[in-house]
Amino acid sequence: MTTSSETQKLVVVTGASTGMGAATARELAGRGFHVLAGVRRDKDADAVRAEHVEPVLLDITEPERIAALAARVGGDHRALHALVNNAGISVNAPVEALPLPEWRRQFEVNLFGHIAVTQALLPALLDSRGRVVNISSVGGKVALPAYGAYAGSKFALEAVSDSLRRELAPLGVKVVVIEPGGVRTEITGNAVAAVEELAGRMSAELNERYGKLLQAVVGQARSFDTGGLSADTAAKVIADAVTHRKPRTRYTVGRDGAVLTRLARLLPDRALDRLLAAGLRRHYPAPTGAAASASA
């Protein structure tokens, strides 16, 4: 239930152009907060602008944009209630095949950018005894094949969140992690396009080793478009973490995410490996030609 005091509070949501970020901005505005919605382009600002949703141009890898956001928050009479670190990218390829600059870009956005924004806004959050909500992933608990860079960045974000929570608890600031499973968002389509582009640049040798795996990864990612949760459903969980007086330290979004994270805790590594391989196997391309005849 929205209270009159909530209309006097700010929430910053990064990566709010589309998907979970945009849905979270709308959900929090509907609950009475004034949302500063981080977007990278002017056209995205026009799309997200609404009552109590104020777009701000923000690339979390650019210090000047982060400084401008901190100045905007510091110049407002309203308290900053929460920072939702949602911006992210997904760059998927086998460890051997992914060029180092792509590894660095993945971590620059999914980890270092969040740290930079958090550092810039912590003075305001400490003043308000607010909270930091970091959007991780089930990939922050379980690393699927070809998700080494993405999962690595999310594993790291989980660790940083744990450390930050323990540092800030005595100071009255709460830190919460959200772990979505399959959610229908634009990041899935972008990830598929990135995988296909990288596959086109791989050497013949790497294609021989990993080509079919990447086709399976693309097929599995596309299945999220029909089987995944809606961004609006995920946004409600994020908004609950922002508004609950005593939020949990972690929220898993979606049945698949809850099941997979539980299995990761319970199963031995080899058993989990076999389970994940079985889940991916149905997305492999069907054998053709001589291979199909041989398997008949």
Side-chain angles (χ1 to χ4, degrees):
M1 180 177 178
T2 299
T3 66
S4 59
S5 63
E6 286 174 345
T7 62
Q8 303 303 311
K9 295 178 181 178
L10 300 176
V11 175
V12 169
V13 180
T14 70
S17 300
T18 58
M20 284 193 299
T24 299
R26 292 191 299 268
E27 179 70 23
L28 288 169
R31 298 191 188 197
F33 294 96
H34 185 82
V35 181
L36 301 179
V39 299
R40 295 182 61 208
R41 299 170 296 187
D42 288 325
K43 70 175 185 178
D44 296 327
D46 294 336
V48 78
R49 184 179 287 107
E51 185 177 8
H52 299 308
V53 178
E54 176 188 338
V56 293
L57 290 178
L58 177 65
D59 183 327
I60 65 171
T61 67
E62 295 182 0
E64 298 82 5
R65 292 292 190 189
I66 296 173
L69 172 64
R72 168 67 186 84
V73 170
D76 200 298
H77 69 278
R78 293 166 289 196
L80 178 62
H81 176 71
L83 163 63
V84 180
N85 282 314
N86 171 73
I89 60 173
S90 182
V91 181
N92 303 326
V95 171
E96 181 186 11
L98 187 63
L100 274 177
E102 292 298 322
W103 280 87
R104 294 189 175 101
R105 184 167 72 95
Q106 180 77 93
F107 276 76
E108 196 65 43
V109 177
N110 286 11
L111 180 65
F112 302 131
H114 296 323
I115 293 171
V117 175
T118 301
Q119 288 178 337
L121 296 184
L122 262 179
L125 290 168
L126 288 164
D127 284 345
S128 67
R129 298 173 72 86
R131 64 191 61 184
V132 178
V133 179
N134 287 331
I135 310 303
S136 179
S137 167
V138 66
K141 294 296 187 183
V142 181
L144 300 173
Y147 281 79
Y150 177 78
S153 69
K154 294 298 188 179
F155 268 67
L157 182 63
E158 295 261 355
V160 170
S161 299
D162 285 344
S163 185
L164 187 67
R165 184 182 69 252
R166 291 158 186 159
E167 293 163 4
L168 297 181
L171 304 176
V173 174
K174 298 177 178 64
V175 178
V176 181
V177 173
I178 308 293
E179 298 166 341
V183 177
R184 300 191 301 271
T185 70
E186 285 76 1
I187 194 173
T188 301
N190 293 338
V192 166
V195 169
E196 291 175 337
E197 195 272 335
L198 281 166
R201 291 193 282 116
M202 286 196 313
S203 68
E205 185 179 14
L206 289 175
N207 263 306
E208 178 68 23
R209 280 202 281 272
Y210 304 117
K212 292 180 180 178
L213 169 62
L214 286 180
Q215 290 182 60
V217 168
V218 167
Q220 187 177 57
R222 284 181 171 148
S223 71
F224 296 151
D225 291 338
T226 54
L229 292 174
S230 70
D232 287 336
T233 299
K236 287 180 170 60
V237 178
I238 297 169
D240 286 345
V242 168
T243 57
H244 200 284
R245 189 171 67 87
K246 291 184 177 180
R248 303 200 300 266
T249 59
R250 278 176 172 79
Y251 292 79
T252 302
V253 182
R255 183 176 179 274
D256 61 333
V259 169
L260 196 53
T261 53
R262 180 177 290 272
L263 288 174
R265 291 195 300 270
L266 297 176
L267 292 179
D269 287 346
R270 299 299 186 191
L272 184 61
D273 290 350
R274 290 192 293 271
L275 180 68
L276 296 178
L280 191 59
R281 193 174 299 122
R282 62 193 178 93
H283 296 286
Y284 269 78
T288 58
S293 299
S295 64

